[in-house]
Amino acid sequence: MEKVNLKIQNIKKEIVQIFKNHGLSIDHATISANALINAELVGAYGHGLSRLKMYCDRISKKVINPKPKIKIKKISQSISHINADDSIGFVAADIAIKKAIFNAKKTGIGLVAVKNSGHYGLSGYYAEQAVKKNLVTMIYTNAPPAVAPHGASKSLFGTNPICFGTPTGSKIPFILDTSISMINRGKIRVADRYNQKIPPGVALDKFGKPTTDAKKALQGVQLPIAGFKGSGLAWMVDILSGVLTGGNHAGKVKDPFDDFSGPQNVGHLFIVFKANLFINNYIKRIKENIKKVKKLPKIKGVKKIYFPGENKVERLKENSKKEIFIPNNILYEINLLNKS
Ligand SMILES: NC(=O)c1ccc[n+]([C@@H]2O[C@H](COP(=O)([O-])OP(=O)(O)OC[C@H]3O[C@@H](n4cnc5c(N)ncnc54)[C@H](O)[C@@H]3O)[C@@H](O)[C@H]2O)c1
């Protein structure tokens, strides 16, 4: 795979311009560009620039609304319900996490449900905003069918990520942000694009046979983590982010790449609360907790026990120092979009 490297600042300007050319306001274009660049920097390439064309195509085909009239309904001082009016998911999620943080600061807990949204990228990106304000957070979103419910031969659940974030008393937040599938769909899409194999044990083809062929995996089903347990977690996320919010659920979220028959109506749920709600020494206690885990004897070959999110911060630090590498075909897409 041939790659070029470019300064991140230049790319950001171009991405903002591309979103503006597609009708987004400067604010919404900047929010969206920042989310894509962040995904590249933390190494989540399946949620980065490789999706730019998809978002632009959805705007052009009028299934993402570039000028949404987003409505925030106040249910109580703590609880809000957002109708994102088919906005690009990044904007809906950005508004929602800010509202949840605001509510939590005021009352101790903020609960924000979002409907009529779209794919918003990485849950952890929004969790970081809350954790930076010393708040604990749990975030859920559903996604298009990719995973077969336990016992079913057809996919229905998305890779439905589960995200939990907490301050740690250090500069590095604890952010567990994991899809419930063995690997996330973005990674399979990237493998498909570059004709790479996917690891064994993560997907079945459309005939139910194990496969390492990315294309066959996309046509078949992805496997959940830990069998029926992962299937149960995916179901829980579908209920919390779809059934509860008014978003699509039970397999109705449209695939953003392949299905332009209407908006996705993805649902998200943001729960944010103060860390010192029940005790006044949370940071001291979590520091003790993490220290204890990290001090455990390690198995052979392991130099360090990481807590969730630590690896991403290390990658972000490293990648921010250098120029980012962009595969030629994505650069080609960016250039075409810039001219359109
Ligand atoms: N918006 C959507 O529809 C959607 C759907 C699926 C996934 N996603 C996003 O994709 C991203 C990637 O998901 P993923 O499942 O590939 O994540 P992943 O497998 O890269 O990581 C999962 C979690 O494990 C932690 N981790 C990784 N290595 C570790 C180690 N050695 N020790 C301790 N912890 C470790 C990570 O910090 C992370 O919190 C997430 O940000 C998720 O929100 C989004």
Side-chain angles (χ1 to χ4, degrees):
M1 179 197 330
E2 237 190 296
K3 288 179 166 189
V4 289
N5 46 343
L6 278 176
K7 280 239 161 61
I8 195 134
Q9 299 89 311
N10 298 346
I11 272 292
K12 185 178 156 185
K13 258 195 232 158
E14 278 188 58
I15 309 302
V16 170
Q17 193 54 49
I18 288 169
F19 278 128
K20 274 175 65 190
N21 293 348
H22 282 78
L24 264 64
S25 67
I26 172 84
D27 281 358
H28 289 185
T30 307
I31 288 168
S32 305
N34 283 341
L36 289 181
I37 300 280
N38 172 268
E40 291 288 325
L41 287 176
V42 298
Y45 307 111
H47 291 277
L49 296 173
S50 63
R51 288 197 180 232
L52 177 64
K53 182 174 180 304
M54 174 274 281
Y55 292 114
C56 292
D57 287 349
R58 294 193 76 78
I59 297 168
S60 302
K61 296 197 170 148
K62 299 192 178 357
V63 289
I64 287 179
N65 180 357
K67 300 254 186 287
K69 293 196 171 57
I70 297 177
K71 291 197 185 90
I72 306 177
K73 184 174 161 194
K74 180 175 172 180
I75 293 174
S76 76
Q77 296 274 75
S78 299
I79 309 169
S80 311
H81 191 193
I82 296 181
N83 182 342
D85 194 24
D86 303 324
S87 81
I88 195 162
F90 304 124
V91 169
D94 189 72
I95 291 173
I97 189 67
K98 289 190 165 68
K99 187 68 189 160
I101 291 170
F102 179 84
N103 292 356
K105 285 269 177 197
K106 221 169 170 179
T107 69
I109 185 159
L111 173 64
V112 176
V114 184
K115 65 176 179 180
N116 292 321
S117 182
H119 179 269
Y120 69 25
L122 312 176
S123 299
Y125 181 62
Y126 308 100
E128 281 166 21
Q129 288 196 39
V131 173
K132 274 189 191 145
K133 309 256 172 185
N134 258 331
L135 298 160
V136 179
T137 184
M138 288 152 87
I139 300 177
Y140 307 97
T141 182
N142 59 6
V147 174
H150 187 68
S153 62
K154 200 167 171 275
S155 59
L156 181 140
F157 299 135
T159 51
N160 295 2
I162 290 179
C163 182
F164 165 79
T166 169
T168 56
S170 83
K171 277 192 184 148
I172 306 178
F174 179 118
I175 295 183
L176 172 69
D177 179 20
T178 180
S179 42
I180 53 68
S181 48
M182 292 293 286
I183 62 172
N184 78 55
R185 198 163 186 78
K187 283 184 189 158
I188 302 184
R189 286 194 188 281
V190 170
D192 178 37
R193 242 180 136 150
Y194 300 118
N195 281 324
Q196 293 163 341
K197 292 263 174 236
I198 55 169
V202 305
L204 308 177
D205 66 16
K206 63 180 176 190
F207 306 108
K209 267 180 52 191
T211 185
T212 54
D213 180 313
K215 201 173 284 313
K216 287 184 181 166
L218 288 173
Q219 290 158 356
V221 302
Q222 285 183 243
L223 295 174
I225 49 172
F228 64 85
K229 299 180 189 182
S231 171
L233 290 172
W235 205 333
M236 175 191 83
V237 175
D238 197 39
I239 293 167
L240 287 175
S241 48
V243 178
L244 184 79
T245 61
N248 270 340
H249 60 96
K252 290 206 197 90
V253 170
K254 292 180 200 298
D255 190 300
F257 290 91
D258 304 331
D259 188 345
F260 294 87
S261 62
Q264 282 192 292
N265 187 11
V266 173
H268 323 301
L269 190 72
F270 296 82
I271 305 168
V272 174
F273 51 94
K274 286 185 181 165
N276 282 350
L277 280 182
F278 308 109
I279 35 109
N280 57 17
N281 56 349
Y282 181 84
I283 292 297
K284 183 170 172 265
R285 288 167 64 83
I286 194 153
K287 272 185 170 170
E288 277 167 14
N289 178 289
I290 291 174
K291 200 167 156 193
K292 192 111 193 219
V293 177
K294 280 189 167 275
K295 275 198 165 161
L296 286 174
K298 294 160 203 58
I299 53 173
K300 212 172 160 204
V302 170
K303 286 199 189 111
K304 174 176 169 183
I305 294 176
Y306 285 86
F307 59 77
E310 218 180 345
N311 56 338
K312 274 199 182 154
V313 172
E314 280 186 5
R315 254 194 325 254
L316 180 77
K317 255 195 203 159
E318 251 172 55
N319 289 345
S320 301
K321 282 187 220 145
K322 37 185 200 195
E323 297 181 325
I324 51 169
F325 290 83
I326 299 173
N328 265 341
N329 59 339
I330 292 181
L331 198 68
Y332 178 74
E333 275 178 11
I334 294 175
N335 288 336
L336 277 186
L337 287 166
N338 222 352
K339 285 181 197 142
S340 66

